[in-house]
Amino acid sequence: MRSLTFVIGTGRSGSTALSGILNAHPDVLSLNEFMASVGDAAFPEGRVTGAQFWQTLVQPAPHFERMIRSGLPLPEFLYTRRPGRYTAETTGIPALSLMVLPHLSDEPDGLLDELGAAVARWPERTAAEHHRALFDLLCARFGRTAVVERSGYSTGWAPGLRAAFPHARFVHMFRDGPDCALSMSRHPGYRTISLLREIKARAGVDSFADLTEEHVRALPADLAPLLGERFDPALVRDRDIPLRTFGTLWSELVTEGTRFLARLPADRRSTLSYENLLDRPAEELTRLAEFIGVAPLPHWLHTASALLDHSRRGSARRLPVAELAELSESCAPGTRVLEAVR
């Protein structure tokens, strides 16, 4: 059985760079934003045919499609930088094509066709079994031996992934709270997340599936359009969202990730601090490689160090004193949780 590792975390923590670093290792299949792309829809209950499973992987993600159509694509959307045959305006962009396949190939459309032809013929089995077969297929295709999935904003998926893949390993990646929260505040995806969280809070629902037309009519004029097929991107870009909102979000996510990790057997869990990665890249990546189950190749370690951006460190310290104090206070619960396990 191939090793399977999930890197979970808040996002905005150097994790995108980590996907690039892992992709540079000749033995690692780096599944960049796989869960963020396919989500829970790719894990239907019961047994499904290969053709049915494939549809869960290529069905365009509605929330990402709305952002693209509204002129607010995320920087993580690799497909929209070098468009192929699919567009959000016409065909919809297959979920796998948006961020996963362009990370693996310069010809994502061709790779999608190749995978689809194989998966559609697969017999009926559980979604977890189909995923394992897909990972094996991709490993064989690219000559890799270990699978690492990494998505931002992914701590919420961890329990389900643990249930689906009981032998998987998990790495909790995190970054200094104020720096990470400040980065979230400037990112269109996290700004959208904060606004969608506000919508659910105002409506008093835990899921958008529970949102009624009456709920939507009661929303303010600067929030309701975000639920439509297209919206003014200024509603996300220009809205004044307090920094503490993102500090609170960061605290919630690192607490969720830390508590999940604590429930795992010691040999199935590890952590990775972005700051430690910057300070000691060879040491931290050697430890990560050994945990994943691949060799810490000297050339890879040298190449990886060049992919790290040190300029992002300490960004929150450049804020006005009062803003930094408020942000640090909102990050304090998460900071205490991390300090307790270090």
Side-chain angles (χ1 to χ4, degrees), residues 33-43 56-58 95-96 100 131 157:
E33 304 281 9
F34 181 83
M35 282 305 301
S37 299
V38 304
D40 295 331
F43 288 85
T56 71
L57 302 180
V58 297
L96 270 188
V100 181
H131 277 92
W157 281 306

Side-chain angles (χ1 to χ4, degrees), residues 322-339:
E323 287 187 35
L324 176 57
E326 184 179 29
L327 179 57
S328 298
E329 183 181 358
S330 65
C331 291
T335 300
R336 286 193 294 269
V337 166
L338 289 178
E339 289 175 346

Side-chain angles (χ1 to χ4, degrees), residues 51-79:
Q52 290 169 325
F53 173 66
W54 182 245
Q55 285 306 307
T56 71
L57 302 180
V58 297
Q59 185 70 28
H63 51 295
F64 289 152
E65 294 281 291
R66 285 196 294 269
M67 295 187 78
I68 296 170
R69 285 194 297 267
S70 301
L72 201 69
L74 302 187
E76 291 83 359
F77 292 170
L78 301 179
Y79 192 86

